[in-house]
Amino acid sequence: MSDKRDKKGESGAGKLWGGRFSESTDSFIERFTASVGFDVRLYKQDIAGSIAHATMLAETGVLSEAEARQIIGGLEAIRADIEQGRFRWSVALEDVHMNIEAALTARIGEVGKKLHTGRSRNDQVATDLRLYVREEIDALRALLWKLRSALVDLAEREADSIMPGFTHLQSAQPVTFGHHMLAWYEMLERDDGRLADCRKRVNISPLGAAALAGASFPIDRARTAELLGFEAPAANSLDAVSDRDFAIELAAAGSLIMTHLSRISEELVLWMSAQFGFIDLPERFCTGSSIMPQKKNPDVPELIRGKTGRVHGHLVSLLTLMKSQPLAYNKDNQEDKEPVFDLVDTLKDCLFACGELIPAIECNRKAMREAAGKACATATDLADYLVRKGLAFRDAHEATGRTVAFALARGKELHQLTLDEFAGFSKLIESDVYEILTVDGSVAARDHFGGAAPGQVRKAIVRARAALAESKPD
Ligand code: ARG
């Protein structure tokens, strides 16, 4: 058998795991199996995890105090090197973990080789990813908070601005722009709750599960969990190294956020069109056309709408990645990082963009009010009026429907009909009908919890502000 040990007499061409290998890794396979191209993003978490591990090993007597001090000092110096762009990452060293460990030994000598006592890259990477996700959840919630506040501010500004409410994208009943903004707010408040809930299950420490079965040294898993700010150590070592539910949960919560942002974006795009003309966005959020000189395109909401697919895709990737995986760690799991990184980046950009966009919305109140009064949008109010005059709702609906058909055929709105014309459909209609047919009357009538009346919108704003105060990021 040929011995392909390298010049230094090391096996596996100097790999940290090279002991049992006599052949060096194929160069394609080296590149194919490496993750350092993307997991460098976990360097901070990796070093924090290693420092906690070394601290605990010294406390439990596995390492001497002096050894731990050297290791920790070395890790801190490596962190500084990375942050100042002095660190040379090597694909041959496969991933962020082995790059840092090799650099540690190169820097502090033999004692560096003791850091990996009682742990494995399997619990290490799971720990790093949880630390990363935890931090990013906090960042996402802070961005979400800004956006939610912006919506409440806008709702307050436009609490009395009448606009058409739609079902099937057909004029349905008048609402206010403020009420509509608070509908968006509700979606995002649920999103915040989902992130907060997901964070609880993220914040569990896999460290000490080692490769899969735990470690044969007197390790203190509660201590490393505490040092890293985790709530508790994971209860089962096999589950600890294999679980990626937390990443899937983040992707699921993130997918819903993107679904919501895409719905918001879609409405902004529609409302900005000449056909709706409800809102305008400042030019700094728009772009022009290279051929049509008149164009001012809502690129930002369009792009947010478009980026939704990426995040939804990452959710499916992660679900599929985990499907049918046997316990415990499998190399498949290396594929969890790129979707997680990209979904976090995408969400942060989109939430930030939305947070900037919302306060900049300029409402065309006149156009919205005019549109709200069109297409017999207060027909339900006429039916309700007839009910209050004693008709059963179904009969009132029928009489109103016939009135609407009559008005539409003559190109009139309901309030433009004469009492004589109304009399052809119901004798119950009197001159007081005109007041309830106005858009203001219609909105004001929906005066109960959750309704569109401006007074109710103001009460909802007070509730939203209280919820915001409670979830304010530090
Ligand atoms: N780069 C690997 C990952 O991202 C680290 C863990 C590797 N563990 C192993 N047993 N090969 O999952």
Side-chain angles (χ1 to χ4, degrees), residues 182 446-461 463:
L182 290 184
R446 268 100 189 135
D447 190 17
H448 53 73
F449 181 85
Q456 292 297 339
V457 169
R458 294 216 159 73
K459 284 183 189 167
I461 288 168
R463 291 195 299 271

Side-chain angles (χ1 to χ4, degrees), residues 32-139:
F32 184 67
T33 53
S35 55
V36 68
F38 46 87
D39 66 15
V40 286
R41 287 184 61 165
L42 295 175
Y43 81 86
K44 237 185 345 165
Q45 292 78 6
D46 197 67
I47 289 174
S50 290
I51 290 176
H53 181 65
T55 304
M56 178 278 291
L57 289 181
E59 286 171 3
T60 55
V62 178
L63 292 183
S64 73
E65 286 292 338
E67 287 171 331
R69 228 177 297 118
Q70 265 182 287
I71 288 174
I72 293 167
L75 288 167
E76 282 166 349
I78 289 169
R79 182 168 52 205
D81 279 354
I82 295 171
E83 283 167 1
Q84 284 151 32
R86 286 195 301 259
F87 194 90
R88 294 228 340 260
W89 299 98
S90 152
V91 174
L93 288 165
E94 202 174 316
D95 56 25
V96 64
H97 323 291
M98 291 198 292
N99 266 271
I100 291 175
E101 195 190 319
L104 180 68
T105 303
R107 179 183 281 269
I108 67 170
E110 290 300 295
V111 60
K113 295 182 179 172
K114 295 192 173 188
L115 170 63
H116 214 51
T117 313
R119 78 167 183 188
S120 150
R121 274 185 299 153
N122 298 351
D123 58 342
Q124 195 179 350
V125 70
T127 302
D128 293 1
L129 195 62
R130 282 176 183 268
L131 290 172
Y132 168 83
V133 167
R134 183 179 73 188
E135 191 177 321
E136 295 300 349
I137 284 178
D138 294 342

